[in-house]
Structures are given as C-alpha cells and as structure tokens.
C-alpha cells in the first residue's frame, strides 16, 4: 500500500543533510569526498549500501524525478477529510507509491501512483464541474479537486502537512543561537533552508503539469526545471525556472531512411530567437487561458532570454518558463556537481546567500543587485583559490570528461565530466568558520576594478569590459553573469564583506553568547553577522556604533527589519534576466 513521502524523508534525513543530493554520487566519489573531510557525517551500516546503490548522475536523477512526476496528480482537498478514506479512494485506481499533504491557501495533496495507467483511470472517473453564471474551459489537467460528499466530520485526525515555506528569519536566528559552534550553525542553516524532498517533487510535478499544456502543441516536448530547483542550492521559496525542451521533436525528424522520406511542412521565422519568442507567446497564452491555477501570466519576450512568467497558485511557486536555454541547464549541472564534491560547498553557499539576502545585497526585485547565481559562482571561485584548492577548475572538469560527456551548445564547449568518481579532491580540512571568514576577507579585498572572476581557469583574469563586477559565464565566455550590477551595489557588497570579516575576527563573536536576564541569548557566530547594523549602508564606518550597541538590541532590530515571512514565493523574482 501507500508509503508516504514522510517515510522517505525520514530515510533521507538519516543520511545527513546532503543526502537527497548525494544520491547522485558515484560510490568511489563518496568515499573520496568523505575521506578528505573528517567533519562530515557519513552513512553507516546497511544505510551505506543503500546510499551507494542509489548513486546516480545528474541526468539520471532529473529523469527519475520527471518520470515520477508524470505518474502524479495534484489534488485540492476539502478543509477536513480522512486520510484513510482519501488513500482508499485513490488506491482504487492503482497502487499509490507516495503521497503527502501541504497547505497553500487550502489543503493540497500530491499523489504518486506506481503506474501511469492509474492516471488514465482516475481521469476516466473525473468530471468537468458545472459552474454557475460562468462557463468552464474543459481542459482535463492533473490538477483535480476532491469532493467530499455529506457533512464533513471534524473528528478526522489532521494529516501531517509538509511545510513548503522557509522559516522566518527570527526562527532561524533562534535556532542558530542554540548551536555550539559556527560550523554547527552553518550546517543547521542549510538543513533548515534547503528544498525538502516533497518540495522538489512538487516542483517537478508543476513542470509536468505545464508540459501537458505545451504538449497540446508539441506532444514530444518536455518541460524541465533548471536553476536552483536542481542545482542543489535551492532554498524553500525560490522560484521554479523551467525550460521548454523541444529536442525530442528535432531528434525524431532526423531519423531518415535511405529511400523515400517525408518532411513536415513548417512555418519559418527570421531567426531562432524569433521562433522561440513565437512558441513562448503561444504557450504563454495557453497557460494564461487554459492552465488551471496559473495566474499573473506575463510574456517577457524581449529579454535577452525570452521568458513567460506566472504564479502557480496551488503550489505557491513563481515560475519562469524559457525555451532553448540549454546552456543554463548545463550551468545547473555544473553547480550541482560542485555542490556534491564537498558538503562544505553547499553550507558556504547557503550561508553567503542568506547573509546577502538579510542585508539586501540580493533582492526579490530585478535591478542592479548581485544575484544568487553570481554569489554561488563567487563562492566556487573562492574555494578554487584555497590552498590546497577545495574545488577543481572548469577546465579540469573538462579534461576529466569521457567521450559520452562531450557537449557543444550553440558553439560553446560545455563538456564536463559526469562521473564524479574521476574527480580526486585535494586534502583541505578548513572549518566552515574559517572558510566563511576568509570568504569575506577575500572579497573585501578583491581587485574588482581590474580583475574578472573566472571559474574555468580558477584564476583572476583581466576584465574584458568596463562592468563594475565581471564574472565570466561558465560556458558562454563572452557573457558577464553580473552585467546588471552597478558600482554602488558592488561597493555595498565589498563593505559588508569587510565588516563581516572584522566581526568574525572578534573572537567573542564566535563563541556561544551569554544568556541575558530575560532568558534570551546574545547573538553570536552567524546570527551576529545577520544583524542589520552591519548592513546599515555606512559600511565599516559604523563599527564603533555596533560595538557599543547591546547585542540583544541588534538581534531585535534584525527581527524587526527582516520581514522574510513565508519566503519569497509569489512576489519573488530577483534574477538578472537581462544578463542571462
Ligand atoms: N543564469 C545565467 N546567467 C545569469 C542568470 C541566470 O546563466 N545571469 C542561469 C543559471 O543557470 C541560473 C538560472 O539561470 O541558475 C536561473 O536563474 P535565477 O533564477 O536567477 O537563479 P537561481 O540559481 O535559480 O537562484 P534563485 O534561488 O535566486 O532563483
Ligand atoms: Mg531561480
């Protein structure tokens, strides 16, 4: 019978925080990575075997999740219902593999069947609703409403609703203050903010539901998530970046025999970009008019990378649909790979992203801000500079690639090794505290005026253009990932790095804070770095004020000023689309 995702999650959790992402590691890599880092939790006993058995590549993981999503449905549930009856009902259509419940302005359930045929059976018994005073678009999607006949009993035990939003900053700070070291705090931060197994399933399901809409025009198309949904750096509440992948259509067209053959008659456009724009505009219109739960659809087709942006209400996700953006998918794979080589990479990225968000270095509003993607590349670059280096260069990842890894996209060589066991890491045992402190020192003193950040070479390069911040796009060497960033934003970032480095140099900030008479704990470690006085905009000049300000009032200010409640879900979109 039904095994809930809750059980699955417990298993994942038991393997430590990196678990769900580490499933992609090859056995040997896991051994190599863990052997170099003593502090990392390693799975033990029978779990080790299980862990190793589940080793998969990035593509294999994405494919598995996509296939699971195709066997799943999204159900709007009544306010009160019996979980047992719910499962009995769905089990009539086939074995339910997994299910979970969550709240998003109402109760919802994700139900994953063992076989796709169950979806057909379910749809067979599902009716189009009769609506009063309006007319329904009879589009039969996999977003369904469960009708519960008769009076609902209030005695049903409440099912376990899985949280889909990040905790607010106050709760995070309180959690961090209970830890015993900065390293523990940073690991806890990742655990708290990272996408849950259920949230990832929901993201793939939303892509799959969108695929059904686009499939009306292009039956072989696939909508795939990319960006932080899959690159292992996603935080609860982050947007869902999607690619409309039409490769399947072109692949079939190329199968020609030696004799007579047929070709489709097609319309043509003046350029690939124009064709992409026209496809996206039609799909966008369809999403707007027929897509249940899809609201606020905006066609942003003139951007360098044309997108359709909308909110998917039943999941609470902000979605960006793009087409023909294969390089971005490859960048996601690259970040995923870096995130897997050493657990400290993810801890550092999560903490830098959280620190940057708390100080409005990044924003949910598009503008001249540094983006999360840029910050992640900056962390990778910093870790390539360690001695010994913690991460290999992109050129090294290319050298290690096998023949099947060869990948050229629009003339850009995007080849990287997919078998992680081929990557031998150097023995670097830096603590997270040291890494974070030195990250701030590194960028607090970086020669941004003349140097470009280049993870392909793992070295600073001369800036090829006059942008304030130059970060070479990993796979499209002529593009600057942070083209949108202006000098003022860069200066704020640099000053904050200097401040945070200085704060971390004060040893009293690194040890658990004393308990005040009212029972509250003085902010220390990473929690102290989040205090708004650090980010006042006056930068290092405000040090004296900070020193004299009581710690408890700093954390209070933090809680007051950072109203990151319920994440950035629907209102969010802070990426620099113009520079993609
Ligand atoms: N991207 C890029 N160049 C940019 C911005 C984005 O190549 N200047 C690609 C990256 O692969 C990135 C993806 O587009 O991961 C999605 O962009 P965005 O949503 O801005 O970043 P995420 O990594 O998804 O981070 P977030 O959690 O902020 O959404
Ligand atoms: Mg994103």
């Amino acid at each position: 019978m039904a095994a809930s995702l809750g059980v699955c999650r417990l298993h994942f959790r038991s393997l430590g925080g990196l678990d769900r992402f580490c499933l992609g590691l090859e056995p040997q890599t896991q051994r190599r990575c863990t052997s170099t880092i003593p502090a990392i939790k390693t799975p033990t006993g029978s779990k080790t075997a299980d862990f190793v058995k589940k080793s998969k590549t990035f593509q294999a993981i994405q494919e598995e999740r996509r296939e699971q999503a195709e066997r799943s449905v999204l159900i709007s549930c009544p306010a009160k219902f019996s979980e047992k009856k719910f499962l009995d009902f769905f089990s009539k259509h086939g074995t339910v593999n997994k299910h979970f419940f969550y709240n998003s302005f109402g109760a919802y359930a994700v139900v994953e069947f063992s076989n796709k045929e169950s979806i057909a059976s379910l749809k067979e018994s599902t009716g189009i609703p009769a609506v009063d005073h309006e007319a329904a678009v009879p589009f039969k999607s996999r977003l369904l409403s469960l009708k519960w006949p008769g009076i609902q009993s209030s005695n049903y035990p409440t099912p376990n609703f899985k949280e889909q939003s990040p905790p607010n900053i106050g709760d995070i700070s309180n959690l961090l203050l209970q830890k015993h070291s900065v390293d523990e705090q940073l690991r806890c931060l990742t655990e708290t903010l990272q996408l849950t197994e259920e949230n990832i399933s929901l993201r793939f399901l939303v892509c799959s539901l969108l695929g059904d809409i686009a499939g009306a025009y292009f039956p072989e198309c696939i909508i795939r998530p990319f960006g932080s949904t899959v690159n292992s750096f996603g935080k609860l509440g982050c947007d869902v970046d999607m690619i409309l992948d039409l490769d399947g259509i072109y692949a079939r067209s190329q199968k020609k025999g030696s004799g007579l053959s047929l070709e489709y008659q097609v319309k043509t456009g003046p350029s690939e970009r124009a064709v992409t724009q026209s496809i996206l505009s039609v799909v966008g219109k369809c999403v707007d008019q027929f897509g249940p739960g899809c609201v606020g659809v905006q066609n942003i087709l003139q951007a360098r990378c044309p997108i359709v942006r909308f909110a998917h209400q039943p999941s609470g996700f902000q979605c960006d649909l793009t087409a023909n953006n294969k390089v971005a998918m490859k960048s996601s794979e690259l970040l995923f790979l870096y995130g897997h080589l050493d657990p400290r990479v993810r801890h550092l990225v999560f903490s830098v992203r959280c620190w940057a968000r708390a100080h409005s270095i990044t924003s949910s509003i598009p503008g001249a801000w540094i983006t999360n993607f840029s910050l992640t590349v900056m962390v990778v670059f910093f870790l390539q500079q360690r001695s010994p280096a913690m991460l290999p260069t992109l050129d090294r990842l290319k050298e290690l690639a096998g023949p099947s890894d060869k990948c050229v996209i629009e003339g850009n060589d995007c080849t990287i090794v997919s078998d992680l066991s081929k990557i031998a890491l150097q023995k670097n045992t830096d603590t997270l505290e040291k890494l974070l402190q030195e990250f701030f020192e590194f960028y607090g003193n970086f020669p941004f005026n003349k140097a470009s950040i280049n993870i392909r070479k793992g070295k600073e390069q001369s800036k090829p253009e006059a942008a304030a911040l130059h970060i070479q796009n990993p796979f499209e060497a002529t593009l600057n990932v942070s083209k949108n960033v202006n000098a003022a934003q860069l200066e704020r970032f640099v000053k904050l790095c200097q401040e945070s480095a200085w704060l971390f140099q004060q040893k009293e900030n690194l040890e658990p804070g004393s308990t005040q008479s009212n029972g509250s704990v003085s902010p220390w470690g990473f929690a102290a770095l989040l205090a708004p006085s650090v980010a006042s905009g006056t930068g290092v000049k405000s040090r004296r004020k900070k020193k004299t300000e009581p710690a408890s009032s700093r954390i209070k200010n933090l809680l007051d000023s950072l109203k990151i409640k319920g994440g950035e879900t629907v209102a969010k979109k802070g990426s620099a689309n113009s520079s993609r």
Side-chain angles (χ1 to χ4, degrees):
M1 256 284 289
S4 82
L5 271 179
V7 175
C8 183
R9 171 110 181 268
L10 264 182
H11 168 71
F12 281 134
R13 284 244 181 257
S14 69
L15 296 177
L18 202 64
D19 42 32
R20 70 184 62 95
F21 296 110
C22 271
L23 298 182
L25 283 179
E26 296 299 327
Q28 203 186 344
T29 311
Q30 182 56 26
R31 183 170 51 69
R32 285 194 196 195
C33 292
T34 50
S35 67
T36 56
I37 305 137
I40 298 162
K41 284 189 223 160
T42 48
T44 51
S46 63
K47 279 172 197 149
T48 310
D50 200 22
F51 187 85
V52 165
K53 239 191 291 162
K54 288 190 176 183
S55 302
K56 285 175 195 131
T57 61
F58 174 78
Q59 274 90 0
I61 294 172
Q62 307 316 307
E63 206 41 41
E64 184 173 308
R65 290 196 186 279
R66 188 178 75 78
E67 196 270 326
Q68 284 166 351
E70 291 200 339
R71 292 185 268 114
S72 303
V73 284
L74 184 52
I75 310 290
S76 164
C77 302
K80 287 274 172 195
F81 62 95
S82 147
E83 183 170 358
K84 184 177 175 313
K85 282 193 185 167
F86 176 96
L87 282 175
D88 287 349
F89 173 78
F90 283 97
S91 300
K92 286 192 189 112
H93 298 277
T95 308
V96 174
N97 248 3
K98 298 169 189 167
H99 75 283
F100 67 88
F101 301 98
Y102 68 93
N103 259 315
S104 172
F105 300 104
Y108 285 89
V110 171
V111 178
E112 182 197 308
F113 289 100
S114 292
N115 292 302
K116 222 175 157 181
E117 290 69 48
S118 303
I119 305 275
S121 158
L122 194 69
K123 279 183 150 184
E124 196 69 22
S125 66
T126 302
I128 303 281
V131 284
D132 295 337
H133 314 301
E134 285 181 319
V137 176
F139 179 68
K140 294 184 170 180
S141 80
R142 283 179 285 142
L143 169 59
L144 312 169
S145 296
L146 181 63
K147 299 290 162 193
W148 209 269
I151 298 163
Q152 292 165 25
S153 162
S154 53
N155 296 331
Y156 294 135
T158 313
N160 180 11
F161 285 94
K162 300 287 175 186
E163 191 53 62
Q164 305 299 322
S165 305
N168 68 44
I169 198 80
D171 290 343
I172 293 175
S173 291
N174 287 336
L175 206 63
L176 298 184
L177 295 181
Q178 290 162 27
K179 302 294 156 192
H180 300 101
S181 67
V182 173
D183 279 44
E184 255 189 45
Q185 286 186 330
L186 300 191
R187 281 194 290 268
C188 166
L189 189 77
T190 311
E191 280 285 325
T192 311
L193 294 179
Q194 70 189 350
L195 301 181
T196 60
E197 183 62 22
E198 295 84 3
N199 194 269
I200 298 174
S201 298
L202 186 56
R203 285 164 182 267
F204 274 79
L205 177 51
V206 171
C207 291
S208 177
L209 296 180
L210 258 289
D212 289 351
I213 298 176
Y217 296 101
F218 305 106
E220 291 104 338
C221 81
I222 296 174
I223 294 198
R224 303 182 190 277
F226 71 105
S228 55
T229 295
V230 298
N231 69 16
S232 82
F233 298 110
K235 162 184 166 251
L236 284 171
C238 70
D239 66 357
V240 185
D241 302 291
M242 309 170 172
I243 293 180
L244 173 66
D245 181 350
L246 300 170
D247 274 2
I249 303 178
Y250 292 109
R252 285 198 193 186
S253 310
Q254 279 154 12
K255 283 180 198 155
K256 283 190 184 159
S258 52
L260 293 179
S261 68
L262 287 171
E263 256 179 7
Y264 288 99
Q265 287 216 356
V266 290
K267 284 211 166 190
T268 55
S271 65
E272 198 160 317
R273 177 178 164 84
V275 171
T276 299
Q277 285 169 324
S278 92
I279 292 174
L280 277 180
S281 81
V282 173
V283 172
K285 190 152 190 168
C286 205
V287 169
D288 189 22
Q289 310 217 335
F290 304 155
C294 300
V295 297
V297 181
Q298 285 173 274
N299 283 357
I300 308 171
L301 303 177
Q302 299 312 321
R304 192 186 81 76
C305 180
I307 56 168
V308 174
R309 177 169 295 171
F310 59 94
H312 185 258
Q313 269 187 336
S315 60
F317 294 143
Q318 173 75 30
C319 305
D320 274 357
L321 173 66
T322 168
N324 269 351
N325 198 357
K326 285 185 226 103
V327 180
M329 181 59 102
K330 207 65 195 174
S331 309
S332 306
E333 180 179 347
L334 175 70
L335 292 191
F336 173 92
L337 185 149
Y338 278 129
H340 278 74
L341 289 177
D342 186 316
R344 290 172 297 178
V345 179
R346 289 182 69 239
H347 297 316
L348 206 60
V349 169
F350 272 87
S351 47
V352 169
R353 282 182 170 205
C354 178
W355 165 87
R357 186 71 186 88
H359 294 303
S360 305
I361 292 287
T362 52
S363 168
S364 56
I365 308 158
W369 331 102
I370 298 178
T371 63
N372 279 329
F373 180 60
S374 297
L375 279 177
T376 308
V377 178
M378 288 169 96
V379 171
V380 169
F381 183 73
F382 162 72
L383 295 175
Q384 289 173 334
Q385 310 299 302
R386 306 298 300 159
S387 181
M390 253 179 75
L391 290 177
T393 65
L394 186 44
D395 271 344
R396 179 70 189 139
L397 297 179
K398 186 176 152 191
E399 278 164 26
L400 294 170
S404 61
D405 295 326
K406 181 98 190 129
C407 174
V408 178
I409 302 169
E410 291 155 19
N412 301 296
D413 191 342
C414 301
T415 306
I416 49 170
V417 60
S418 59
D419 178 357
L420 300 191
S421 68
K422 289 186 182 167
I423 306 169
L425 296 175
Q426 299 188 47
K427 193 173 170 63
N428 175 308
T429 54
D430 289 342
T431 61
L432 288 170
E433 178 188 310
K434 182 174 161 80
L435 289 171
L436 188 60
Q437 164 149 16
E438 294 189 13
F439 171 88
F440 292 133
E441 285 170 13
F442 183 78
Y443 284 113
N445 294 300
F446 192 82
F448 287 107
N449 56 338
K450 55 179 187 345
S452 161
I453 290 166
N454 183 319
I455 63 167
R456 178 165 287 285
K457 303 276 168 230
K459 280 198 209 117
E460 298 167 22
Q461 306 274 293
S462 302
K463 255 200 315 200
E465 58 185 51
L469 172 60
H470 195 277
I471 303 175
Q472 193 190 76
N473 186 303
F475 294 117
E476 294 174 285
T478 55
L479 295 185
N480 174 11
V481 164
S482 49
K483 192 176 168 181
N484 61 308
V485 177
N486 65 20
Q489 286 306 318
L490 178 66
E491 196 186 330
R492 285 193 62 232
F493 170 77
V494 170
K495 284 192 170 168
L496 273 162
C497 283
Q498 292 168 352
E499 284 244 352
S500 296
W502 180 85
L503 267 179
F504 253 24
Q505 280 157 16
Q506 316 310 302
K507 289 295 162 217
E508 73 270 14
N509 284 329
L510 296 178
E511 274 143 31
S514 50
T515 306
Q516 317 276 300
S517 51
N518 64 1
S520 65
V521 179
S522 318
W524 62 277
F526 189 69
L529 288 190
L530 298 176
S533 56
V534 183
S536 61
T538 49
V540 279
K541 288 181 206 143
S542 66
R543 274 179 199 164
R544 187 170 303 163
K545 178 170 171 258
K546 267 193 327 285
K547 264 201 110 174
T548 52
E549 192 177 12
S552 54
S553 83
R554 278 169 47 200
I555 200 76
K556 183 177 177 302
N557 289 342
L558 163 72
L559 303 186
D560 289 346
S561 68
L562 298 172
K563 300 255 189 306
I564 309 176
K565 287 199 181 119
E568 305 149 20
T569 312
V570 170
K572 142 132 187 113
K573 185 60 201 171
S575 58
N577 292 311
S578 57
S579 63
R580 268 189 212 176

